[in-house]
Amino acid sequence: MKKFQFTPRQMLSAVILSLGIIIAAVPKDTTTPYKLSAEQILEEMKSGTQYLHPDLIAQMLVEGDPTLQLIDVRPPAEYEKYHLPGAINIPFDDLLSSDYQDLLNQGVMMNVLYANGTTRANEAWMLIRQLGYQNNYVLTGGLNYWVETILNPQPPAATSPDDEFARYDFRKAASGALGGGAVAPVEQQSTAPAVIPRPRPQQKKQAVQGGCS
Amino acid sequence: MAPFVVYDIISENTNLLLAFFIGIGFGFILEQAGFSSSRKLAGVFYGYDAVVLKVFFTAAIVGMLGLLFFSLFGWVDMSVIYVNETYLYSAIVGGVIMGAGFIMGGYCPGTSFCAATIGKIDAIVFIGGMFLGVFIFGEGYPLWKNLYMAEYMGFPKISEFFGINEGIFVLLAIVAAVLMFWGAEWAEKKFPREEY
């Protein structure tokens, strides 16, 4: 009787196949922690990786990047007055309401939280980060800084390095595309406490010029 | 525990250094497997040489098995591994263009550089064409921006998309690979070429 001999190929196929059968029998890994510990949150906060600069967000908005989801954590009234293009409103008070969990705890979009400043959005980020939610970020400086950098960019000093000027040119262009100068409509100027810092008139003009050039 | 997260475990420069060595290893394997010959590469479409199919599918199933076993042993944290974004339509259109270029030019982007390194003129021309394509894409971006960005699906794995266990998907891929290798060897015997 002829002795049956495995060729190296058959041997390799058999090894790989049996490894595949073993791995298919292993249940899904559930050992990864769902919630983060206070130490882990502190580590992340120290590294500051949750902050995204307005320049990056402006670029994503101009490019029409579909992965970006802006989330306004201010009260609905302030959201109604002004919000960034495409932003949705999840008021800070209702952050943990079950209506919004699908939006905050997901793996598809890049959520960027913002408020008027950094603090409120960062608090919201800390809370949902502690729940183990991923893909959430904070807009550095909030709307105030947004208006300062994107909507009303200041020309750099004549002695500034070239990349300062490049950044300024980008911001001027983004300002035009994202409605710089339209931040504070005329009606709002008479109404009482403004939610967002209004640009001064001469700056407003400047921003529009920049956008058109 | 792997992966060595940049800024956390290793510095950016160490990362680049590692990438450099991995790149050399990748190029070595490509060249060693004969991937710098466009005739060999095109052979997979005509059936006389299936080495491309065999090498890449072997790499894929070994990689899949390795990741899952390492994850099982706690050596690698799968939750922080980068998964490419999926834009469905641009992936399909890009795949068709890349496949057509592959059949016509006889190289894929990686192997064209590999072949250019050993002085193949056709590979250098291929690289020129590639940069031309990059240029056309960049200059005409507004024209295909909508298609490019359409149907964004996040970072799905096939197993997640179909809702099956990762291990079972790997087993299915292995079975498919073994069957394909078998079919490929049969095709190599069926459509042989003497010299290429």
Side-chain angles (χ1 to χ4, degrees):
Chain A
M1 201 173 129
K2 200 182 160 206
K3 204 176 154 205
F4 184 73
Q5 275 269 301
F6 275 118
T7 64
R9 283 157 200 233
Q10 287 165 333
M11 194 100 91
L12 210 57
S13 304
V15 169
I16 296 266
L17 260 179
S18 38
L19 284 176
I21 291 167
I22 293 172
I23 205 71
V26 171
K28 196 170 164 47
D29 181 21
T30 49
T31 52
T32 41
Y34 174 62
K35 290 185 178 184
L36 270 73
S37 68
E39 286 81 13
Q40 283 170 312
I41 298 277
L42 183 63
E43 271 313 308
E44 283 200 20
M45 290 181 68
K46 273 183 351 201
S47 69
T49 42
Q50 81 271 33
Y51 292 116
L52 296 181
H53 196 272
D55 283 340
L56 175 71
I57 303 301
Q59 188 168 2
M60 291 178 89
L61 280 175
V62 171
E63 283 174 357
D65 194 320
T67 65
L68 178 68
Q69 177 65 72
L70 286 162
I71 295 179
D72 195 322
V73 297
R74 301 173 305 156
E78 296 186 24
Y79 170 81
E80 292 300 327
K81 271 187 192 154
Y82 174 75
H83 57 84
L84 295 179
I88 55 166
N89 186 214
I90 299 183
F92 186 80
D93 297 352
D94 302 332
L95 189 70
L96 300 180
S97 134
S98 57
D99 302 348
Y100 300 125
Q101 300 317 298
D102 288 349
L103 286 164
L104 296 171
N105 184 20
Q106 44 80 45
V108 176
M109 306 295 276
M110 185 176 119
N111 286 336
V112 179
L113 309 171
Y114 72 88
N116 285 330
T118 309
T119 317
R120 245 310 132 89
N122 206 30
E123 285 168 357
W125 174 83
M126 276 167 65
L127 276 172
I128 55 177
R129 188 70 193 111
Q130 189 139 29
L131 291 172
Y133 297 178
Q134 292 184 340
N135 299 325
N136 294 298
Y137 298 89
V138 175
L139 177 65
T140 310
L143 279 180
N144 290 338
Y145 192 49
W146 176 269
V147 169
E148 203 178 294
T149 52
I150 304 298
L151 298 186
N152 292 295
Q154 297 299 316
T159 50
S160 301
D162 282 352
D163 52 342
E164 285 284 324
F165 281 95
R167 199 175 302 144
Y168 173 64
D169 287 343
F170 165 74
R171 287 174 178 173
K172 267 200 312 185
S175 165
L178 298 172
V183 178
V186 187
E187 313 87 77
Q188 261 200 20
Q189 287 183 343
S190 56
T191 57
V195 184
I196 30 173
R198 279 190 298 264
R200 287 190 296 278
Q202 72 271 24
Q203 286 175 322
K204 213 160 85 176
K205 219 170 170 185
Q206 219 175 31
V208 171
Q209 276 173 346
C212 298
S213 66
Chain B
M1 190 165 84
F4 304 132
V5 182
V6 179
Y7 300 122
D8 204 4
I9 300 177
I10 58 173
S11 75
E12 200 173 2
N13 289 336
T14 317
N15 190 37
L16 285 175
L17 186 70
L18 289 178
F20 177 70
F21 288 126
I22 294 171
I24 287 182
F26 182 60
F28 176 77
I29 299 289
L30 285 182
E31 168 62 25
Q32 192 263 349
F35 277 26
S36 49
S37 156
S38 56
R39 295 193 186 95
K40 208 174 182 70
L41 290 173
V44 72
F45 297 105
Y46 301 99
Y48 62 82
D49 193 327
V51 69
V52 178
L53 182 91
K54 286 189 262 183
V55 167
F56 276 119
F57 253 90
T58 310
I61 57 179
V62 170
M64 285 195 286
L65 270 178
L67 271 181
L68 284 192
F69 271 105
F70 279 25
S71 161
L72 179 64
F73 301 153
W75 292 347
V76 68
D77 184 355
M78 291 285 274
S79 66
V80 293
I81 284 188
Y82 176 71
V83 179
N84 229 351
E85 298 104 325
T86 300
Y87 296 86
L88 189 62
Y89 295 157
S90 53
I92 293 171
V93 173
V96 169
I97 295 174
M98 148 115 192
F102 197 159
I103 299 176
M104 287 191 288
Y107 292 110
C108 69
T111 54
S112 68
F113 280 96
C114 196
T117 314
I118 62 163
K120 293 266 173 82
I121 311 275
D122 59 340
I124 296 170
V125 174
F126 188 93
I127 292 174
M130 208 157 71
F131 280 113
L132 190 67
V134 170
F135 181 75
I136 293 171
F137 176 80
E139 288 300 310
Y141 184 70
L143 294 176
W144 25 77
K145 180 180 164 186
N146 286 338
L147 176 73
Y148 182 60
M149 293 292 193
E151 224 26 59
Y152 175 67
M153 292 168 68
F155 314 88
K157 296 181 199 155
I158 299 178
S159 53
E160 282 167 6
F161 185 74
F162 290 111
I164 55 174
N165 189 319
E166 280 174 349
I168 298 198
F169 175 74
V170 170
L171 179 62
L172 291 177
I174 290 173
V175 171
V178 169
L179 290 177
M180 267 195 293
F181 293 170
W182 196 27
E185 304 248 296
W186 171 83
E188 280 175 6
K189 287 193 194 97
K190 172 105 177 157
F191 311 103
R193 287 197 190 185
E194 289 293 307
E195 283 287 320
Y196 60 85

